[in-house]
mmCIF file of all heavy atoms in Angstrom:
data_model
loop_
_atom_site.group_PDB
_atom_site.id
_atom_site.type_symbol
_atom_site.label_atom_id
_atom_site.label_comp_id
_atom_site.label_asym_id
_atom_site.label_seq_id
_atom_site.Cartn_x
_atom_site.Cartn_y
_atom_site.Cartn_z
ATOM 1 N N ALA A 477 27.985 135.245 192.531
ATOM 2 C CA ALA A 477 28.481 136.463 191.899
ATOM 3 C C ALA A 477 27.457 137.620 192.053
ATOM 4 O O ALA A 477 27.841 138.760 192.272
ATOM 5 C CB ALA A 477 28.780 136.224 190.433
ATOM 6 N N VAL A 478 26.150 137.312 191.949
ATOM 7 C CA VAL A 478 25.196 138.410 191.944
ATOM 8 C C VAL A 478 24.745 138.831 193.346
ATOM 9 O O VAL A 478 23.989 139.771 193.503
ATOM 10 C CB VAL A 478 23.920 138.060 191.105
ATOM 11 C CG1 VAL A 478 24.295 137.767 189.673
ATOM 12 C CG2 VAL A 478 23.170 136.888 191.722
ATOM 13 N N LYS A 479 25.278 138.124 194.312
ATOM 14 C CA LYS A 479 24.908 138.369 195.723
ATOM 15 C C LYS A 479 24.882 139.839 196.090
ATOM 16 O O LYS A 479 23.949 140.372 196.611
ATOM 17 C CB LYS A 479 25.879 137.572 196.604
ATOM 18 C CG LYS A 479 25.411 137.317 198.002
ATOM 19 C CD LYS A 479 26.354 136.315 198.690
ATOM 20 C CE LYS A 479 27.702 136.923 198.740
ATOM 21 N NZ LYS A 479 28.862 136.182 198.936
ATOM 22 N N ASP A 480 26.018 140.505 195.801
ATOM 23 C CA ASP A 480 26.111 141.920 196.203
ATOM 24 C C ASP A 480 25.797 142.879 195.071
ATOM 25 O O ASP A 480 26.218 144.025 195.095
ATOM 26 C CB ASP A 480 27.458 142.212 196.861
ATOM 27 C CG ASP A 480 28.575 141.578 196.066
ATOM 28 O OD1 ASP A 480 28.323 141.019 195.018
ATOM 29 O OD2 ASP A 480 29.749 141.730 196.529
ATOM 30 N N TYR A 481 25.105 142.418 194.037
ATOM 31 C CA TYR A 481 24.690 143.302 192.964
ATOM 32 C C TYR A 481 23.375 144.027 193.296
ATOM 33 O O TYR A 481 22.496 143.417 193.886
ATOM 34 C CB TYR A 481 24.507 142.561 191.636
ATOM 35 C CG TYR A 481 25.802 142.431 190.869
ATOM 36 C CD1 TYR A 481 26.741 141.507 191.162
ATOM 37 C CD2 TYR A 481 26.052 143.300 189.781
ATOM 38 C CE1 TYR A 481 27.925 141.415 190.446
ATOM 39 C CE2 TYR A 481 27.224 143.250 189.067
ATOM 40 C CZ TYR A 481 28.169 142.271 189.418
ATOM 41 O OH TYR A 481 29.322 142.170 188.707
ATOM 42 N N LYS A 482 23.270 145.256 192.863
ATOM 43 C CA LYS A 482 22.034 145.968 193.051
ATOM 44 C C LYS A 482 21.161 145.876 191.817
ATOM 45 O O LYS A 482 21.682 145.653 190.719
ATOM 46 C CB LYS A 482 22.347 147.466 193.315
ATOM 47 C CG LYS A 482 22.956 147.683 194.661
ATOM 48 C CD LYS A 482 23.285 149.191 194.825
ATOM 49 C CE LYS A 482 24.260 149.338 195.976
ATOM 50 N NZ LYS A 482 25.182 150.434 195.756
ATOM 51 N N LYS A 483 19.903 146.059 191.994
ATOM 52 C CA LYS A 483 18.907 146.071 190.877
ATOM 53 C C LYS A 483 18.708 144.762 190.167
ATOM 54 O O LYS A 483 18.317 144.764 188.979
ATOM 55 C CB LYS A 483 19.312 147.150 189.851
ATOM 56 C CG LYS A 483 19.221 148.553 190.401
ATOM 57 C CD LYS A 483 19.247 149.534 189.239
ATOM 58 C CE LYS A 483 19.117 150.954 189.687
ATOM 59 N NZ LYS A 483 19.217 151.886 188.592
ATOM 60 N N LEU A 484 18.923 143.656 190.872
ATOM 61 C CA LEU A 484 18.638 142.374 190.249
ATOM 62 C C LEU A 484 17.104 142.233 189.952
ATOM 63 O O LEU A 484 16.688 141.749 188.915
ATOM 64 C CB LEU A 484 19.091 141.186 191.105
ATOM 65 C CG LEU A 484 18.805 139.795 190.621
ATOM 66 C CD1 LEU A 484 19.492 139.555 189.272
ATOM 67 C CD2 LEU A 484 19.259 138.721 191.614
ATOM 68 N N SER A 485 16.348 142.818 190.876
ATOM 69 C CA SER A 485 14.877 142.729 190.679
ATOM 70 C C SER A 485 14.434 143.579 189.496
ATOM 71 O O SER A 485 13.556 143.227 188.764
ATOM 72 C CB SER A 485 14.132 143.134 191.965
ATOM 73 O OG SER A 485 14.596 144.407 192.336
ATOM 74 N N ASP A 486 15.152 144.711 189.309
ATOM 75 C CA ASP A 486 14.843 145.544 188.131
ATOM 76 C C ASP A 486 15.125 144.779 186.826
ATOM 77 O O ASP A 486 14.385 144.835 185.875
ATOM 78 C CB ASP A 486 15.694 146.797 188.086
ATOM 79 C CG ASP A 486 15.324 147.749 189.243
ATOM 80 O OD1 ASP A 486 14.759 147.280 190.237
ATOM 81 O OD2 ASP A 486 15.580 148.983 189.117
ATOM 82 N N LEU A 487 16.251 144.065 186.866
ATOM 83 C CA LEU A 487 16.620 143.275 185.663
ATOM 84 C C LEU A 487 15.550 142.230 185.444
ATOM 85 O O LEU A 487 15.104 142.079 184.280
ATOM 86 C CB LEU A 487 17.980 142.621 185.912
ATOM 87 C CG LEU A 487 18.505 141.772 184.759
ATOM 88 C CD1 LEU A 487 18.864 142.648 183.572
ATOM 89 C CD2 LEU A 487 19.740 140.948 185.180
ATOM 90 N N GLU A 488 15.146 141.581 186.503
ATOM 91 C CA GLU A 488 14.117 140.542 186.369
ATOM 92 C C GLU A 488 12.844 141.133 185.790
ATOM 93 O O GLU A 488 12.253 140.539 184.878
ATOM 94 C CB GLU A 488 13.840 140.039 187.782
ATOM 95 C CG GLU A 488 13.497 138.563 187.834
ATOM 96 C CD GLU A 488 13.464 138.064 189.281
ATOM 97 O OE1 GLU A 488 14.207 138.607 190.144
ATOM 98 O OE2 GLU A 488 12.659 137.158 189.544
ATOM 99 N N PHE A 489 12.485 142.288 186.296
ATOM 100 C CA PHE A 489 11.297 142.922 185.841
ATOM 101 C C PHE A 489 11.376 143.333 184.380
ATOM 102 O O PHE A 489 10.465 143.146 183.569
ATOM 103 C CB PHE A 489 10.997 144.175 186.717
ATOM 104 C CG PHE A 489 9.735 144.877 186.329
ATOM 105 C CD1 PHE A 489 8.485 144.329 186.691
ATOM 106 C CD2 PHE A 489 9.781 146.051 185.640
ATOM 107 C CE1 PHE A 489 7.355 144.959 186.310
ATOM 108 C CE2 PHE A 489 8.617 146.741 185.261
ATOM 109 C CZ PHE A 489 7.389 146.183 185.620
ATOM 110 N N SER A 490 12.581 143.864 184.009
ATOM 111 C CA SER A 490 12.759 144.398 182.653
ATOM 112 C C SER A 490 12.621 143.329 181.564
ATOM 113 O O SER A 490 12.336 143.626 180.416
ATOM 114 C CB SER A 490 14.116 145.078 182.543
ATOM 115 O OG SER A 490 15.127 144.136 182.456
ATOM 116 N N VAL A 491 12.907 142.096 181.891
ATOM 117 C CA VAL A 491 12.861 141.056 180.885
ATOM 118 C C VAL A 491 11.537 140.287 180.889
ATOM 119 O O VAL A 491 11.341 139.447 180.054
ATOM 120 C CB VAL A 491 14.023 140.032 181.049
ATOM 121 C CG1 VAL A 491 15.375 140.745 180.848
ATOM 122 C CG2 VAL A 491 13.980 139.295 182.351
ATOM 123 N N LYS A 492 10.664 140.626 181.846
ATOM 124 C CA LYS A 492 9.467 139.818 181.989
ATOM 125 C C LYS A 492 8.288 140.277 181.194
ATOM 126 O O LYS A 492 7.316 139.558 181.079
ATOM 127 C CB LYS A 492 9.112 139.725 183.497
ATOM 128 C CG LYS A 492 9.905 138.644 184.200
ATOM 129 C CD LYS A 492 9.126 137.992 185.322
ATOM 130 C CE LYS A 492 9.781 136.713 185.752
ATOM 131 N NZ LYS A 492 9.739 136.595 187.209
ATOM 132 N N GLU A 493 8.374 141.554 180.712
ATOM 133 C CA GLU A 493 7.160 142.099 180.086
ATOM 134 C C GLU A 493 6.814 141.372 178.789
ATOM 135 O O GLU A 493 5.713 141.517 178.281
ATOM 136 C CB GLU A 493 7.308 143.585 179.893
ATOM 137 C CG GLU A 493 8.604 143.983 179.208
ATOM 138 C CD GLU A 493 8.837 145.442 179.205
ATOM 139 O OE1 GLU A 493 8.159 146.138 178.479
ATOM 140 O OE2 GLU A 493 9.726 145.926 179.990
ATOM 141 N N LYS A 494 7.762 140.610 178.233
ATOM 142 C CA LYS A 494 7.403 139.923 176.991
ATOM 143 C C LYS A 494 7.676 138.421 177.145
ATOM 144 O O LYS A 494 8.646 137.977 177.690
ATOM 145 C CB LYS A 494 8.255 140.483 175.834
ATOM 146 C CG LYS A 494 7.533 141.562 175.134
ATOM 147 C CD LYS A 494 8.084 141.940 173.790
ATOM 148 C CE LYS A 494 7.333 143.142 173.292
ATOM 149 N NZ LYS A 494 8.115 144.092 172.622
ATOM 150 N N ASP A 495 6.720 137.737 176.566
ATOM 151 C CA ASP A 495 6.777 136.258 176.557
ATOM 152 C C ASP A 495 7.870 135.820 175.563
ATOM 153 O O ASP A 495 8.125 136.463 174.556
ATOM 154 C CB ASP A 495 5.438 135.791 176.116
ATOM 155 C CG ASP A 495 5.324 134.280 176.191
ATOM 156 O OD1 ASP A 495 5.284 133.813 177.322
ATOM 157 O OD2 ASP A 495 5.307 133.643 175.116
ATOM 158 N N LEU A 496 8.528 134.695 175.845
ATOM 159 C CA LEU A 496 9.569 134.155 174.965
ATOM 160 C C LEU A 496 9.025 133.926 173.557
ATOM 161 O O LEU A 496 9.698 134.129 172.581
ATOM 162 C CB LEU A 496 10.128 132.854 175.497
ATOM 163 C CG LEU A 496 11.398 132.862 176.368
ATOM 164 C CD1 LEU A 496 11.952 131.512 176.462
ATOM 165 C CD2 LEU A 496 12.426 133.799 175.779
ATOM 166 N N ASN A 497 7.754 133.453 173.512
ATOM 167 C CA ASN A 497 7.198 133.191 172.184
ATOM 168 C C ASN A 497 7.088 134.487 171.355
ATOM 169 O O ASN A 497 7.282 134.494 170.149
ATOM 170 C CB ASN A 497 5.822 132.609 172.342
ATOM 171 C CG ASN A 497 5.884 131.181 172.863
ATOM 172 O OD1 ASN A 497 6.580 130.349 172.296
ATOM 173 N ND2 ASN A 497 5.227 130.914 173.996
ATOM 174 N N VAL A 498 6.780 135.597 172.032
ATOM 175 C CA VAL A 498 6.683 136.831 171.341
ATOM 176 C C VAL A 498 8.074 137.302 170.857
ATOM 177 O O VAL A 498 8.250 137.702 169.717
ATOM 178 C CB VAL A 498 6.100 137.947 172.281
ATOM 179 C CG1 VAL A 498 6.014 139.273 171.563
ATOM 180 C CG2 VAL A 498 4.693 137.512 172.746
ATOM 181 N N ILE A 499 9.049 137.154 171.747
ATOM 182 C CA ILE A 499 10.433 137.490 171.388
ATOM 183 C C ILE A 499 10.864 136.659 170.153
ATOM 184 O O ILE A 499 11.433 137.196 169.197
ATOM 185 C CB ILE A 499 11.400 137.232 172.543
ATOM 186 C CG1 ILE A 499 11.078 138.160 173.708
ATOM 187 C CG2 ILE A 499 12.822 137.435 172.088
ATOM 188 C CD1 ILE A 499 11.915 137.930 174.945
ATOM 189 N N ALA A 500 10.542 135.396 170.212
ATOM 190 C CA ALA A 500 10.922 134.495 169.143
ATOM 191 C C ALA A 500 10.308 134.934 167.836
ATOM 192 O O ALA A 500 10.961 135.014 166.800
ATOM 193 C CB ALA A 500 10.498 133.058 169.455
ATOM 194 N N ARG A 501 9.018 135.314 167.910
ATOM 195 C CA ARG A 501 8.301 135.731 166.675
ATOM 196 C C ARG A 501 8.932 137.040 166.161
ATOM 197 O O ARG A 501 9.176 137.166 164.971
ATOM 198 C CB ARG A 501 6.826 135.885 166.991
ATOM 199 C CG ARG A 501 5.924 135.751 165.794
ATOM 200 C CD ARG A 501 4.475 135.482 166.146
ATOM 201 N NE ARG A 501 3.944 136.362 167.151
ATOM 202 C CZ ARG A 501 3.472 135.943 168.327
ATOM 203 N NH1 ARG A 501 3.481 134.655 168.650
ATOM 204 N NH2 ARG A 501 3.007 136.840 169.195
ATOM 205 N N ASN A 502 9.169 137.977 167.061
ATOM 206 C CA ASN A 502 9.707 139.266 166.626
ATOM 207 C C ASN A 502 11.104 139.202 166.062
ATOM 208 O O ASN A 502 11.458 139.994 165.202
ATOM 209 C CB ASN A 502 9.727 140.237 167.806
ATOM 210 C CG ASN A 502 8.311 140.687 168.219
ATOM 211 O OD1 ASN A 502 7.353 140.415 167.444
ATOM 212 N ND2 ASN A 502 8.187 141.295 169.342
ATOM 213 N N THR A 503 11.896 138.270 166.543
ATOM 214 C CA THR A 503 13.281 138.226 166.110
ATOM 215 C C THR A 503 13.507 137.169 165.038
ATOM 216 O O THR A 503 14.583 137.083 164.484
ATOM 217 C CB THR A 503 14.226 137.904 167.315
ATOM 218 O OG1 THR A 503 13.763 136.645 167.920
ATOM 219 C CG2 THR A 503 14.255 139.007 168.314
ATOM 220 N N ASP A 504 12.447 136.387 164.802
ATOM 221 C CA ASP A 504 12.568 135.325 163.796
ATOM 222 C C ASP A 504 13.602 134.236 164.223
ATOM 223 O O ASP A 504 14.378 133.747 163.429
ATOM 224 C CB ASP A 504 12.892 135.896 162.439
ATOM 225 C CG ASP A 504 12.487 134.946 161.304
ATOM 226 O OD1 ASP A 504 11.718 134.025 161.601
ATOM 227 O OD2 ASP A 504 12.949 135.144 160.187
ATOM 228 N N VAL A 505 13.622 133.980 165.536
ATOM 229 C CA VAL A 505 14.520 132.982 166.063
ATOM 230 C C VAL A 505 13.620 132.021 166.878
ATOM 231 O O VAL A 505 12.673 132.494 167.491
ATOM 232 C CB VAL A 505 15.582 133.634 166.987
ATOM 233 C CG1 VAL A 505 16.341 132.566 167.805
ATOM 234 C CG2 VAL A 505 16.554 134.460 166.183
ATOM 235 N N SER A 506 13.912 130.752 166.881
ATOM 236 C CA SER A 506 13.026 129.836 167.624
ATOM 237 C C SER A 506 13.231 129.981 169.166
ATOM 238 O O SER A 506 14.317 130.296 169.596
ATOM 239 C CB SER A 506 13.260 128.410 167.193
ATOM 240 O OG SER A 506 14.496 127.949 167.707
ATOM 241 N N VAL A 507 12.189 129.683 169.888
ATOM 242 C CA VAL A 507 12.251 129.683 171.359
ATOM 243 C C VAL A 507 13.363 128.752 171.805
ATOM 244 O O VAL A 507 14.158 129.055 172.697
ATOM 245 C CB VAL A 507 10.887 129.260 171.981
ATOM 246 C CG1 VAL A 507 11.051 129.006 173.466
ATOM 247 C CG2 VAL A 507 9.835 130.258 171.673
ATOM 248 N N ASP A 508 13.467 127.612 171.123
ATOM 249 C CA ASP A 508 14.453 126.610 171.524
ATOM 250 C C ASP A 508 15.851 127.205 171.382
ATOM 251 O O ASP A 508 16.696 126.953 172.256
ATOM 252 C CB ASP A 508 14.287 125.382 170.576
ATOM 253 C CG ASP A 508 15.179 124.235 171.052
ATOM 254 O OD1 ASP A 508 15.093 123.901 172.218
ATOM 255 O OD2 ASP A 508 15.926 123.731 170.226
ATOM 256 N N ASP A 509 16.108 127.895 170.309
ATOM 257 C CA ASP A 509 17.423 128.517 170.126
ATOM 258 C C ASP A 509 17.771 129.503 171.268
ATOM 259 O O ASP A 509 18.874 129.555 171.779
ATOM 260 C CB ASP A 509 17.524 129.220 168.777
ATOM 261 C CG ASP A 509 17.938 128.272 167.674
ATOM 262 O OD1 ASP A 509 18.667 127.279 167.963
ATOM 263 O OD2 ASP A 509 17.590 128.502 166.508
ATOM 264 N N ILE A 510 16.761 130.286 171.630
ATOM 265 C CA ILE A 510 16.991 131.265 172.733
ATOM 266 C C ILE A 510 17.313 130.511 174.011
ATOM 267 O O ILE A 510 18.256 130.814 174.738
ATOM 268 C CB ILE A 510 15.776 132.198 172.911
ATOM 269 C CG1 ILE A 510 15.465 132.931 171.634
ATOM 270 C CG2 ILE A 510 16.008 133.166 174.030
ATOM 271 C CD1 ILE A 510 14.187 133.736 171.667
ATOM 272 N N VAL A 511 16.506 129.501 174.320
ATOM 273 C CA VAL A 511 16.668 128.756 175.567
ATOM 274 C C VAL A 511 18.042 128.050 175.565
ATOM 275 O O VAL A 511 18.789 128.128 176.574
ATOM 276 C CB VAL A 511 15.536 127.722 175.712
ATOM 277 C CG1 VAL A 511 15.775 126.812 176.929
ATOM 278 C CG2 VAL A 511 14.180 128.484 175.912
ATOM 279 N N GLN A 512 18.369 127.365 174.474
ATOM 280 C CA GLN A 512 19.609 126.623 174.426
ATOM 281 C C GLN A 512 20.822 127.543 174.535
ATOM 282 O O GLN A 512 21.773 127.246 175.244
ATOM 283 C CB GLN A 512 19.700 125.814 173.123
ATOM 284 C CG GLN A 512 18.690 124.673 173.016
ATOM 285 C CD GLN A 512 18.817 123.707 174.162
ATOM 286 O OE1 GLN A 512 19.894 123.514 174.767
ATOM 287 N NE2 GLN A 512 17.722 123.072 174.509
ATOM 288 N N THR A 513 20.778 128.706 173.810
ATOM 289 C CA THR A 513 21.905 129.618 173.871
ATOM 290 C C THR A 513 22.104 130.089 175.319
ATOM 291 O O THR A 513 23.220 130.184 175.814
ATOM 292 C CB THR A 513 21.661 130.835 172.951
ATOM 293 O OG1 THR A 513 21.257 130.343 171.641
ATOM 294 C CG2 THR A 513 22.884 131.675 172.816
ATOM 295 N N ALA A 514 20.957 130.394 175.955
ATOM 296 C CA ALA A 514 21.039 130.898 177.330
ATOM 297 C C ALA A 514 21.666 129.810 178.256
ATOM 298 O O ALA A 514 22.539 130.094 179.060
ATOM 299 C CB ALA A 514 19.670 131.274 177.836
ATOM 300 N N ARG A 515 21.160 128.608 178.099
ATOM 301 C CA ARG A 515 21.644 127.533 178.993
ATOM 302 C C ARG A 515 23.156 127.275 178.755
ATOM 303 O O ARG A 515 23.898 127.053 179.697
ATOM 304 C CB ARG A 515 20.847 126.247 178.704
ATOM 305 C CG ARG A 515 19.451 126.289 179.277
ATOM 306 C CD ARG A 515 18.731 124.983 178.992
ATOM 307 N NE ARG A 515 17.342 125.082 179.417
ATOM 308 C CZ ARG A 515 16.393 124.302 178.916
ATOM 309 N NH1 ARG A 515 16.672 123.370 178.022
ATOM 310 N NH2 ARG A 515 15.131 124.433 179.338
ATOM 311 N N GLU A 516 23.497 127.241 177.462
ATOM 312 C CA GLU A 516 24.924 126.968 177.162
ATOM 313 C C GLU A 516 25.821 128.041 177.747
ATOM 314 O O GLU A 516 26.865 127.731 178.327
ATOM 315 C CB GLU A 516 25.107 126.916 175.644
ATOM 316 C CG GLU A 516 24.604 125.654 174.968
ATOM 317 C CD GLU A 516 24.462 125.803 173.474
ATOM 318 O OE1 GLU A 516 24.978 126.809 172.917
ATOM 319 O OE2 GLU A 516 23.772 124.985 172.867
ATOM 320 N N PHE A 517 25.398 129.266 177.537
ATOM 321 C CA PHE A 517 26.241 130.381 178.015
ATOM 322 C C PHE A 517 26.374 130.348 179.528
ATOM 323 O O PHE A 517 27.472 130.450 180.069
ATOM 324 C CB PHE A 517 25.658 131.725 177.540
ATOM 325 C CG PHE A 517 26.650 132.853 177.719
ATOM 326 C CD1 PHE A 517 27.623 133.108 176.760
ATOM 327 C CD2 PHE A 517 26.572 133.673 178.842
ATOM 328 C CE1 PHE A 517 28.518 134.148 176.945
ATOM 329 C CE2 PHE A 517 27.496 134.734 179.019
ATOM 330 C CZ PHE A 517 28.467 134.947 178.054
ATOM 331 N N ALA A 518 25.253 130.215 180.209
ATOM 332 C CA ALA A 518 25.299 130.245 181.674
ATOM 333 C C ALA A 518 26.028 129.029 182.219
ATOM 334 O O ALA A 518 26.753 129.132 183.211
ATOM 335 C CB ALA A 518 23.879 130.316 182.227
ATOM 336 N N GLY A 519 25.909 127.918 181.550
ATOM 337 C CA GLY A 519 26.491 126.708 182.042
ATOM 338 C C GLY A 519 27.945 126.462 181.702
ATOM 339 O O GLY A 519 28.584 125.536 182.179
ATOM 340 N N ALA A 520 28.484 127.298 180.801
ATOM 341 C CA ALA A 520 29.832 127.056 180.301
ATOM 342 C C ALA A 520 30.864 127.381 181.389
ATOM 343 O O ALA A 520 30.715 128.317 182.162
ATOM 344 C CB ALA A 520 30.035 127.903 179.064
ATOM 345 N N GLY A 521 31.893 126.605 181.396
ATOM 346 C CA GLY A 521 33.014 126.878 182.304
ATOM 347 C C GLY A 521 33.683 128.202 181.951
ATOM 348 O O GLY A 521 33.992 129.037 182.809
ATOM 349 N N LYS A 522 33.918 128.405 180.632
ATOM 350 C CA LYS A 522 34.520 129.642 180.171
ATOM 351 C C LYS A 522 33.585 130.188 179.092
ATOM 352 O O LYS A 522 33.285 129.507 178.143
ATOM 353 C CB LYS A 522 35.905 129.395 179.572
ATOM 354 C CG LYS A 522 36.921 128.977 180.587
ATOM 355 C CD LYS A 522 38.247 128.704 179.930
ATOM 356 C CE LYS A 522 39.264 128.392 181.012
ATOM 357 N NZ LYS A 522 40.575 128.066 180.453
ATOM 358 N N ALA A 523 33.216 131.449 179.266
ATOM 359 C CA ALA A 523 32.293 132.044 178.264
ATOM 360 C C ALA A 523 32.611 133.523 178.092
ATOM 361 O O ALA A 523 32.938 134.222 179.049
ATOM 362 C CB ALA A 523 30.851 131.862 178.701
ATOM 363 N N ALA A 524 32.504 133.980 176.888
ATOM 364 C CA ALA A 524 32.863 135.365 176.589
ATOM 365 C C ALA A 524 31.903 135.896 175.524
ATOM 366 O O ALA A 524 31.140 135.186 174.915
ATOM 367 C CB ALA A 524 34.283 135.457 176.079
ATOM 368 N N ILE A 525 31.966 137.240 175.312
ATOM 369 C CA ILE A 525 31.146 137.882 174.329
ATOM 370 C C ILE A 525 32.021 138.799 173.435
ATOM 371 O O ILE A 525 32.861 139.540 173.970
ATOM 372 C CB ILE A 525 30.037 138.769 174.938
ATOM 373 C CG1 ILE A 525 29.088 137.902 175.777
ATOM 374 C CG2 ILE A 525 29.272 139.577 173.918
ATOM 375 C CD1 ILE A 525 27.975 138.660 176.515
ATOM 376 N N ILE A 526 31.823 138.700 172.139
ATOM 377 C CA ILE A 526 32.528 139.607 171.203
ATOM 378 C C ILE A 526 31.392 140.462 170.564
ATOM 379 O O ILE A 526 30.379 139.896 170.174
ATOM 380 C CB ILE A 526 33.220 138.805 170.076
ATOM 381 C CG1 ILE A 526 34.321 137.969 170.657
ATOM 382 C CG2 ILE A 526 33.730 139.766 168.992
ATOM 383 C CD1 ILE A 526 35.019 137.069 169.587
ATOM 384 N N PHE A 527 31.607 141.754 170.479
ATOM 385 C CA PHE A 527 30.645 142.529 169.676
ATOM 386 C C PHE A 527 31.429 143.544 168.814
ATOM 387 O O PHE A 527 32.517 143.954 169.141
ATOM 388 C CB PHE A 527 29.621 143.251 170.549
ATOM 389 C CG PHE A 527 30.129 144.403 171.367
ATOM 390 C CD1 PHE A 527 30.193 145.689 170.843
ATOM 391 C CD2 PHE A 527 30.547 144.182 172.683
ATOM 392 C CE1 PHE A 527 30.699 146.753 171.627
ATOM 393 C CE2 PHE A 527 31.071 145.248 173.424
ATOM 394 C CZ PHE A 527 31.121 146.502 172.896
ATOM 395 N N GLY A 528 30.790 143.888 167.692
ATOM 396 C CA GLY A 528 31.445 144.810 166.762
ATOM 397 C C GLY A 528 30.622 145.993 166.376
ATOM 398 O O GLY A 528 29.680 146.372 167.072
#
Side-chain angles (χ1 to χ4, degrees):
Chain A
V478 300
K479 198 170 63 200
D480 44 3
Y481 272 79
K482 290 179 197 146
K483 293 196 178 176
L484 179 60
S485 54
D486 292 23
L487 181 68
E488 214 171 327
F489 182 75
S490 74
V491 297
K492 277 213 167 140
E493 50 189 287
K494 267 195 186 141
D495 186 70
L496 265 195
N497 289 306
V498 178
I499 296 176
R501 204 161 49 240
N502 289 348
T503 55
D504 203 15
V505 168
S506 72
V507 170
D508 187 52
D509 274 331
I510 301 173
V511 172
Q512 293 303 332
T513 309
R515 286 180 186 159
E516 285 163 14
F517 192 83
K522 292 178 175 177
I525 297 177
I526 295 175
F527 70 88

